[in-house]
Amino acid sequence: MRITKVEAFHVDWGRSRSAWVRVWSDAGEYGLGEASPMAHGNASLEIVASAFTPLLLGANPLDHRVLQDRLFHHHIKLGPEGAFAGALAAVDIALWDLKGKLLQQPIYQLLGGAWRTEMPFYASIGGNAARSVDAVCRAVEEWMPLGPAQVKIRFDGDKTARDEDLAGDIAKARAVRALVGDGFPLAFDANNRYSVQGAIRVGRALEELGYVWFEEPVLHYHTDSFAKVAAALDIAVAAGEQEYTLQGVRRLIDAGVAVVQPDIVKTGGFTGLSDMAALARAHGVDLVPHQTQPTVGHTANLHFVAALTHSHYPCEYNDRSGAQNAVLASAPVLPVGGKFVLTEAPGLGLVVDEAALRSRAVVWRE
Ligand code: CA
């Protein structure tokens, strides 16, 4: 069995683009993968097209781990982080989807079996730095009818405007606690906007309010600052969506981060994330993947979490528009009764509507 073609393309949604990859085998099947879409995923698509495709053509598509290591080390000077890791992820997810189709098994089965196929989610609600306290509450209220098992308020905002409104941020956290009531799981995502001292002040308020985790309080590359914040607080400090390598996740764990959040479309797909899950388990740390891509990335993440040993938190879900289902012929990727349900369909279980995809696909390079 061998790889006969690799397609790297955008899918144009109007206001945004996804970076998707299809890997074809001589059996006439393809696997679908996705890279992180930063700047439309342009850099990842170029790496797939110019650097990875020549090494993939003719290779055995079932050799996902051998291929990932070969691609990684052959072109390591293009990375090893950022868009390079996204390109590795897209290829790996596509190879797992293809493997599932060839073996007629869902990916979670190939990963060792599902602990769960009905997956609760947490509402990941962004843009709260710019909202008033009332508007934050209205944004949370809009999500509650979907039945999230947890809510995370993300602040986004300007990463260079440090400690801009600590009192305001705490007021928003307090208002959301009052809105959902005591006991409902809440998480707080600072999106890297605090100093160590500011983070400790906000973190103490979050402890009092019973939040379950405090995400990215300081700039992601300041590992020492994470260590100081984690040492000063009892609340679980979370981070990892901006880590791309096994070694990067290890540095966060060493700093005392208790919830690591690598992302399947950024960190080497199933193969990369599986290594990180083993690392987290060895250290008694929770791995709760970051994931904000609503179809391919989201579904890949669901398969991964279905097979994840010792998973204690719901899956991230942040785009309830359902817009990306427009290119699928299979059932839409949407929660039902507060859960995403995985079927026994092979691979990711996604079936592309070829005509609909053709109408939105923009080939990166012929
Ligand atoms: Ca985040």
Side-chain angles (χ1 to χ4, degrees), residues 104-131:
Q104 284 294 296
Q105 295 290 332
I107 292 173
Y108 63 75
Q109 199 68 60
L110 301 177
L111 290 171
W115 294 96
R116 52 199 82 81
T117 53
E118 294 190 356
M119 322 289 290
F121 70 91
Y122 77 79
S124 181
I125 304 171
N128 291 305
R131 292 194 179 107

PDB file of all heavy atoms in Angstrom, residues 104-131:
ATOM      1  N   GLN A 104     -11.758  -0.133   8.156  1.00  0.00           N
ATOM      2  CA  GLN A 104     -13.193  -0.080   8.466  1.00  0.00           C
ATOM      3  C   GLN A 104     -13.458  -0.015   9.971  1.00  0.00           C
ATOM      4  O   GLN A 104     -14.308  -0.730  10.512  1.00  0.00           O
ATOM      5  CB  GLN A 104     -13.921  -1.282   7.833  1.00  0.00           C
ATOM      6  CG  GLN A 104     -14.118  -1.138   6.335  1.00  0.00           C
ATOM      7  CD  GLN A 104     -15.072   0.018   5.987  1.00  0.00           C
ATOM      8  OE1 GLN A 104     -16.246  -0.006   6.322  1.00  0.00           O
ATOM      9  NE2 GLN A 104     -14.544   1.049   5.344  1.00  0.00           N
ATOM     10  N   GLN A 105     -12.688   0.851  10.631  1.00  0.00           N
ATOM     11  CA  GLN A 105     -12.842   1.033  12.075  1.00  0.00           C
ATOM     12  C   GLN A 105     -12.812   2.526  12.408  1.00  0.00           C
ATOM     13  O   GLN A 105     -12.051   3.281  11.793  1.00  0.00           O
ATOM     14  CB  GLN A 105     -11.678   0.366  12.837  1.00  0.00           C
ATOM     15  CG  GLN A 105     -11.624  -1.142  12.710  1.00  0.00           C
ATOM     16  CD  GLN A 105     -12.760  -1.838  13.441  1.00  0.00           C
ATOM     17  OE1 GLN A 105     -13.276  -1.322  14.430  1.00  0.00           O
ATOM     18  NE2 GLN A 105     -13.169  -2.989  12.936  1.00  0.00           N
ATOM     19  N   PRO A 106     -13.593   2.937  13.406  1.00  0.00           N
ATOM     20  CA  PRO A 106     -13.453   4.320  13.873  1.00  0.00           C
ATOM     21  C   PRO A 106     -12.079   4.523  14.512  1.00  0.00           C
ATOM     22  O   PRO A 106     -11.488   3.571  15.056  1.00  0.00           O
ATOM     23  CB  PRO A 106     -14.573   4.465  14.909  1.00  0.00           C
ATOM     24  CG  PRO A 106     -14.894   3.085  15.348  1.00  0.00           C
ATOM     25  CD  PRO A 106     -14.585   2.172  14.187  1.00  0.00           C
ATOM     26  N   ILE A 107     -11.578   5.751  14.483  1.00  0.00           N
ATOM     27  CA  ILE A 107     -10.224   6.003  14.999  1.00  0.00           C
ATOM     28  C   ILE A 107     -10.120   5.637  16.475  1.00  0.00           C
ATOM     29  O   ILE A 107      -9.118   5.049  16.903  1.00  0.00           O
ATOM     30  CB  ILE A 107      -9.811   7.472  14.753  1.00  0.00           C
ATOM     31  CG1 ILE A 107      -9.638   7.713  13.251  1.00  0.00           C
ATOM     32  CG2 ILE A 107      -8.512   7.814  15.488  1.00  0.00           C
ATOM     33  CD1 ILE A 107      -9.391   9.165  12.863  1.00  0.00           C
ATOM     34  N   TYR A 108     -11.173   5.933  17.266  1.00  0.00           N
ATOM     35  CA  TYR A 108     -11.071   5.618  18.697  1.00  0.00           C
ATOM     36  C   TYR A 108     -10.814   4.133  18.920  1.00  0.00           C
ATOM     37  O   TYR A 108     -10.139   3.748  19.875  1.00  0.00           O
ATOM     38  CB  TYR A 108     -12.298   6.115  19.481  1.00  0.00           C
ATOM     39  CG  TYR A 108     -13.625   5.491  19.090  1.00  0.00           C
ATOM     40  CD1 TYR A 108     -13.962   4.192  19.455  1.00  0.00           C
ATOM     41  CD2 TYR A 108     -14.559   6.212  18.359  1.00  0.00           C
ATOM     42  CE1 TYR A 108     -15.177   3.624  19.092  1.00  0.00           C
ATOM     43  CE2 TYR A 108     -15.783   5.674  18.009  1.00  0.00           C
ATOM     44  CZ  TYR A 108     -16.087   4.375  18.372  1.00  0.00           C
ATOM     45  OH  TYR A 108     -17.282   3.817  18.016  1.00  0.00           O
ATOM     46  N   GLN A 109     -11.345   3.294  18.031  1.00  0.00           N
ATOM     47  CA  GLN A 109     -11.105   1.847  18.156  1.00  0.00           C
ATOM     48  C   GLN A 109      -9.629   1.532  17.925  1.00  0.00           C
ATOM     49  O   GLN A 109      -9.022   0.743  18.658  1.00  0.00           O
ATOM     50  CB  GLN A 109     -11.970   1.105  17.135  1.00  0.00           C
ATOM     51  CG  GLN A 109     -12.175  -0.359  17.458  1.00  0.00           C
ATOM     52  CD  GLN A 109     -13.021  -0.547  18.699  1.00  0.00           C
ATOM     53  OE1 GLN A 109     -14.146  -0.120  18.742  1.00  0.00           O
ATOM     54  NE2 GLN A 109     -12.455  -1.178  19.713  1.00  0.00           N
ATOM     55  N   LEU A 110      -9.050   2.170  16.917  1.00  0.00           N
ATOM     56  CA  LEU A 110      -7.637   1.930  16.600  1.00  0.00           C
ATOM     57  C   LEU A 110      -6.712   2.473  17.680  1.00  0.00           C
ATOM     58  O   LEU A 110      -5.570   2.032  17.819  1.00  0.00           O
ATOM     59  CB  LEU A 110      -7.285   2.570  15.249  1.00  0.00           C
ATOM     60  CG  LEU A 110      -8.112   2.066  14.054  1.00  0.00           C
ATOM     61  CD1 LEU A 110      -7.728   2.825  12.790  1.00  0.00           C
ATOM     62  CD2 LEU A 110      -7.932   0.557  13.849  1.00  0.00           C
ATOM     63  N   LEU A 111      -7.213   3.440  18.446  1.00  0.00           N
ATOM     64  CA  LEU A 111      -6.402   4.021  19.530  1.00  0.00           C
ATOM     65  C   LEU A 111      -6.443   3.165  20.797  1.00  0.00           C
ATOM     66  O   LEU A 111      -5.816   3.511  21.798  1.00  0.00           O
ATOM     67  CB  LEU A 111      -6.900   5.433  19.865  1.00  0.00           C
ATOM     68  CG  LEU A 111      -6.644   6.513  18.808  1.00  0.00           C
ATOM     69  CD1 LEU A 111      -7.391   7.794  19.169  1.00  0.00           C
ATOM     70  CD2 LEU A 111      -5.150   6.796  18.657  1.00  0.00           C
ATOM     71  N   GLY A 112      -7.218   2.097  20.770  1.00  0.00           N
ATOM     72  CA  GLY A 112      -7.270   1.225  21.946  1.00  0.00           C
ATOM     73  C   GLY A 112      -8.663   1.060  22.519  1.00  0.00           C
ATOM     74  O   GLY A 112      -8.844   0.352  23.511  1.00  0.00           O
ATOM     75  N   GLY A 113      -9.626   1.719  21.896  1.00  0.00           N
ATOM     76  CA  GLY A 113     -11.007   1.550  22.341  1.00  0.00           C
ATOM     77  C   GLY A 113     -11.529   2.770  23.070  1.00  0.00           C
ATOM     78  O   GLY A 113     -10.767   3.578  23.607  1.00  0.00           O
ATOM     79  N   ALA A 114     -12.853   2.902  23.061  1.00  0.00           N
ATOM     80  CA  ALA A 114     -13.485   4.094  23.652  1.00  0.00           C
ATOM     81  C   ALA A 114     -13.871   3.846  25.101  1.00  0.00           C
ATOM     82  O   ALA A 114     -14.541   2.871  25.419  1.00  0.00           O
ATOM     83  CB  ALA A 114     -14.727   4.464  22.849  1.00  0.00           C
ATOM     84  N   TRP A 115     -13.432   4.735  25.991  1.00  0.00           N
ATOM     85  CA  TRP A 115     -13.959   4.773  27.352  1.00  0.00           C
ATOM     86  C   TRP A 115     -15.365   5.361  27.326  1.00  0.00           C
ATOM     87  O   TRP A 115     -16.153   5.164  28.239  1.00  0.00           O
ATOM     88  CB  TRP A 115     -13.077   5.653  28.238  1.00  0.00           C
ATOM     89  CG  TRP A 115     -11.704   5.119  28.452  1.00  0.00           C
ATOM     90  CD1 TRP A 115     -10.577   5.453  27.748  1.00  0.00           C
ATOM     91  CD2 TRP A 115     -11.300   4.163  29.431  1.00  0.00           C
ATOM     92  NE1 TRP A 115      -9.499   4.761  28.232  1.00  0.00           N
ATOM     93  CE2 TRP A 115      -9.910   3.969  29.277  1.00  0.00           C
ATOM     94  CE3 TRP A 115     -11.975   3.450  30.434  1.00  0.00           C
ATOM     95  CZ2 TRP A 115      -9.192   3.093  30.076  1.00  0.00           C
ATOM     96  CZ3 TRP A 115     -11.251   2.587  31.228  1.00  0.00           C
ATOM     97  CH2 TRP A 115      -9.887   2.411  31.044  1.00  0.00           C
ATOM     98  N   ARG A 116     -15.612   6.156  26.303  1.00  0.00           N
ATOM     99  CA  ARG A 116     -16.872   6.901  26.187  1.00  0.00           C
ATOM    100  C   ARG A 116     -17.055   7.273  24.722  1.00  0.00           C
ATOM    101  O   ARG A 116     -16.067   7.554  24.025  1.00  0.00           O
ATOM    102  CB  ARG A 116     -16.797   8.176  27.048  1.00  0.00           C
ATOM    103  CG  ARG A 116     -15.561   8.997  26.743  1.00  0.00           C
ATOM    104  CD  ARG A 116     -15.198   9.990  27.825  1.00  0.00           C
ATOM    105  NE  ARG A 116     -14.448   9.347  28.913  1.00  0.00           N
ATOM    106  CZ  ARG A 116     -13.131   9.086  28.868  1.00  0.00           C
ATOM    107  NH1 ARG A 116     -12.412   9.375  27.787  1.00  0.00           N
ATOM    108  NH2 ARG A 116     -12.529   8.493  29.885  1.00  0.00           N
ATOM    109  N   THR A 117     -18.291   7.219  24.218  1.00  0.00           N
ATOM    110  CA  THR A 117     -18.568   7.699  22.856  1.00  0.00           C
ATOM    111  C   THR A 117     -19.578   8.853  22.874  1.00  0.00           C
ATOM    112  O   THR A 117     -19.876   9.419  21.836  1.00  0.00           O
ATOM    113  CB  THR A 117     -19.093   6.578  21.943  1.00  0.00           C
ATOM    114  OG1 THR A 117     -20.207   5.944  22.579  1.00  0.00           O
ATOM    115  CG2 THR A 117     -18.028   5.552  21.654  1.00  0.00           C
ATOM    116  N   GLU A 118     -20.105   9.153  24.052  1.00  0.00           N
ATOM    117  CA  GLU A 118     -20.939  10.349  24.193  1.00  0.00           C
ATOM    118  C   GLU A 118     -20.128  11.349  25.003  1.00  0.00           C
ATOM    119  O   GLU A 118     -19.779  11.107  26.160  1.00  0.00           O
ATOM    120  CB  GLU A 118     -22.245  10.017  24.917  1.00  0.00           C
ATOM    121  CG  GLU A 118     -23.124   9.098  24.103  1.00  0.00           C
ATOM    122  CD  GLU A 118     -24.511   8.961  24.690  1.00  0.00           C
ATOM    123  OE1 GLU A 118     -24.764   9.534  25.774  1.00  0.00           O
ATOM    124  OE2 GLU A 118     -25.326   8.280  24.064  1.00  0.00           O
ATOM    125  N   MET A 119     -19.836  12.465  24.356  1.00  0.00           N
ATOM    126  CA  MET A 119     -18.836  13.359  24.906  1.00  0.00           C
ATOM    127  C   MET A 119     -19.460  14.673  25.357  1.00  0.00           C
ATOM    128  O   MET A 119     -19.893  15.470  24.528  1.00  0.00           O
ATOM    129  CB  MET A 119     -17.791  13.681  23.815  1.00  0.00           C
ATOM    130  CG  MET A 119     -17.449  12.498  22.921  1.00  0.00           C
ATOM    131  SD  MET A 119     -16.504  11.276  23.775  1.00  0.00           S
ATOM    132  CE  MET A 119     -14.998  12.183  23.945  1.00  0.00           C
ATOM    133  N   PRO A 120     -19.498  14.924  26.659  1.00  0.00           N
ATOM    134  CA  PRO A 120     -19.943  16.237  27.117  1.00  0.00           C
ATOM    135  C   PRO A 120     -18.955  17.314  26.669  1.00  0.00           C
ATOM    136  O   PRO A 120     -17.798  17.015  26.360  1.00  0.00           O
ATOM    137  CB  PRO A 120     -19.959  16.099  28.641  1.00  0.00           C
ATOM    138  CG  PRO A 120     -19.071  14.955  28.950  1.00  0.00           C
ATOM    139  CD  PRO A 120     -19.054  14.050  27.753  1.00  0.00           C
ATOM    140  N   PHE A 121     -19.427  18.537  26.608  1.00  0.00           N
ATOM    141  CA  PHE A 121     -18.551  19.615  26.147  1.00  0.00           C
ATOM    142  C   PHE A 121     -18.575  20.776  27.132  1.00  0.00           C
ATOM    143  O   PHE A 121     -19.487  20.898  27.956  1.00  0.00           O
ATOM    144  CB  PHE A 121     -18.993  20.113  24.762  1.00  0.00           C
ATOM    145  CG  PHE A 121     -20.288  20.873  24.752  1.00  0.00           C
ATOM    146  CD1 PHE A 121     -20.314  22.252  24.906  1.00  0.00           C
ATOM    147  CD2 PHE A 121     -21.496  20.211  24.592  1.00  0.00           C
ATOM    148  CE1 PHE A 121     -21.509  22.963  24.903  1.00  0.00           C
ATOM    149  CE2 PHE A 121     -22.707  20.905  24.591  1.00  0.00           C
ATOM    150  CZ  PHE A 121     -22.715  22.282  24.747  1.00  0.00           C
ATOM    151  N   TYR A 122     -17.537  21.608  27.019  1.00  0.00           N
ATOM    152  CA  TYR A 122     -17.601  22.879  27.739  1.00  0.00           C
ATOM    153  C   TYR A 122     -17.703  24.023  26.738  1.00  0.00           C
ATOM    154  O   TYR A 122     -17.072  23.994  25.683  1.00  0.00           O
ATOM    155  CB  TYR A 122     -16.450  23.045  28.723  1.00  0.00           C
ATOM    156  CG  TYR A 122     -15.077  23.408  28.229  1.00  0.00           C
ATOM    157  CD1 TYR A 122     -14.757  24.719  27.884  1.00  0.00           C
ATOM    158  CD2 TYR A 122     -14.070  22.447  28.165  1.00  0.00           C
ATOM    159  CE1 TYR A 122     -13.476  25.061  27.481  1.00  0.00           C
ATOM    160  CE2 TYR A 122     -12.790  22.773  27.761  1.00  0.00           C
ATOM    161  CZ  TYR A 122     -12.497  24.087  27.410  1.00  0.00           C
ATOM    162  OH  TYR A 122     -11.232  24.418  27.013  1.00  0.00           O
ATOM    163  N   ALA A 123     -18.576  24.981  27.068  1.00  0.00           N
ATOM    164  CA  ALA A 123     -18.750  26.154  26.220  1.00  0.00           C
ATOM    165  C   ALA A 123     -17.546  27.050  26.409  1.00  0.00           C
ATOM    166  O   ALA A 123     -17.251  27.489  27.520  1.00  0.00           O
ATOM    167  CB  ALA A 123     -20.021  26.896  26.614  1.00  0.00           C
ATOM    168  N   SER A 124     -16.831  27.317  25.331  1.00  0.00           N
ATOM    169  CA  SER A 124     -15.622  28.141  25.359  1.00  0.00           C
ATOM    170  C   SER A 124     -15.999  29.487  24.762  1.00  0.00           C
ATOM    171  O   SER A 124     -16.143  29.627  23.554  1.00  0.00           O
ATOM    172  CB  SER A 124     -14.530  27.441  24.551  1.00  0.00           C
ATOM    173  OG  SER A 124     -13.347  28.181  24.554  1.00  0.00           O
ATOM    174  N   ILE A 125     -16.186  30.479  25.620  1.00  0.00           N
ATOM    175  CA  ILE A 125     -16.817  31.735  25.214  1.00  0.00           C
ATOM    176  C   ILE A 125     -15.782  32.856  25.211  1.00  0.00           C
ATOM    177  O   ILE A 125     -15.284  33.266  26.272  1.00  0.00           O
ATOM    178  CB  ILE A 125     -17.981  32.079  26.172  1.00  0.00           C
ATOM    179  CG1 ILE A 125     -18.980  30.907  26.224  1.00  0.00           C
ATOM    180  CG2 ILE A 125     -18.659  33.369  25.732  1.00  0.00           C
ATOM    181  CD1 ILE A 125     -20.053  31.056  27.295  1.00  0.00           C
ATOM    182  N   GLY A 126     -15.431  33.331  24.018  1.00  0.00           N
ATOM    183  CA  GLY A 126     -14.342  34.292  23.869  1.00  0.00           C
ATOM    184  C   GLY A 126     -14.796  35.739  23.856  1.00  0.00           C
ATOM    185  O   GLY A 126     -15.996  36.046  23.879  1.00  0.00           O
ATOM    186  N   GLY A 127     -13.814  36.644  23.826  1.00  0.00           N
ATOM    187  CA  GLY A 127     -14.078  38.071  23.613  1.00  0.00           C
ATOM    188  C   GLY A 127     -14.548  38.835  24.837  1.00  0.00           C
ATOM    189  O   GLY A 127     -15.079  39.944  24.714  1.00  0.00           O
ATOM    190  N   ASN A 128     -14.318  38.299  26.028  1.00  0.00           N
ATOM    191  CA  ASN A 128     -14.921  38.933  27.211  1.00  0.00           C
ATOM    192  C   ASN A 128     -14.161  40.136  27.757  1.00  0.00           C
ATOM    193  O   ASN A 128     -14.708  40.880  28.575  1.00  0.00           O
ATOM    194  CB  ASN A 128     -15.135  37.887  28.295  1.00  0.00           C
ATOM    195  CG  ASN A 128     -16.226  36.911  27.892  1.00  0.00           C
ATOM    196  OD1 ASN A 128     -17.337  37.325  27.578  1.00  0.00           O
ATOM    197  ND2 ASN A 128     -15.904  35.623  27.857  1.00  0.00           N
ATOM    198  N   ALA A 129     -12.923  40.367  27.299  1.00  0.00           N
ATOM    199  CA  ALA A 129     -12.211  41.585  27.747  1.00  0.00           C
ATOM    200  C   ALA A 129     -12.951  42.830  27.275  1.00  0.00           C
ATOM    201  O   ALA A 129     -13.029  43.834  27.985  1.00  0.00           O
ATOM    202  CB  ALA A 129     -10.781  41.582  27.214  1.00  0.00           C
ATOM    203  N   ALA A 130     -13.521  42.756  26.073  1.00  0.00           N
ATOM    204  CA  ALA A 130     -14.168  43.938  25.483  1.00  0.00           C
ATOM    205  C   ALA A 130     -15.618  44.106  25.949  1.00  0.00           C
ATOM    206  O   ALA A 130     -16.227  45.133  25.669  1.00  0.00           O
ATOM    207  CB  ALA A 130     -14.124  43.816  23.960  1.00  0.00           C
ATOM    208  N   ARG A 131     -16.169  43.114  26.660  1.00  0.00           N
ATOM    209  CA  ARG A 131     -17.582  43.188  27.058  1.00  0.00           C
ATOM    210  C   ARG A 131     -17.749  43.830  28.437  1.00  0.00           C
ATOM    211  O   ARG A 131     -16.859  43.743  29.281  1.00  0.00           O
ATOM    212  CB  ARG A 131     -18.199  41.789  27.103  1.00  0.00           C
ATOM    213  CG  ARG A 131     -18.348  41.126  25.752  1.00  0.00           C
ATOM    214  CD  ARG A 131     -19.276  39.903  25.833  1.00  0.00           C
ATOM    215  NE  ARG A 131     -19.410  39.305  24.510  1.00  0.00           N
ATOM    216  CZ  ARG A 131     -18.850  38.151  24.142  1.00  0.00           C
ATOM    217  NH1 ARG A 131     -18.162  37.442  25.013  1.00  0.00           N
ATOM    218  NH2 ARG A 131     -18.989  37.701  22.909  1.00  0.00           N
TER     219      ARG A 131
END
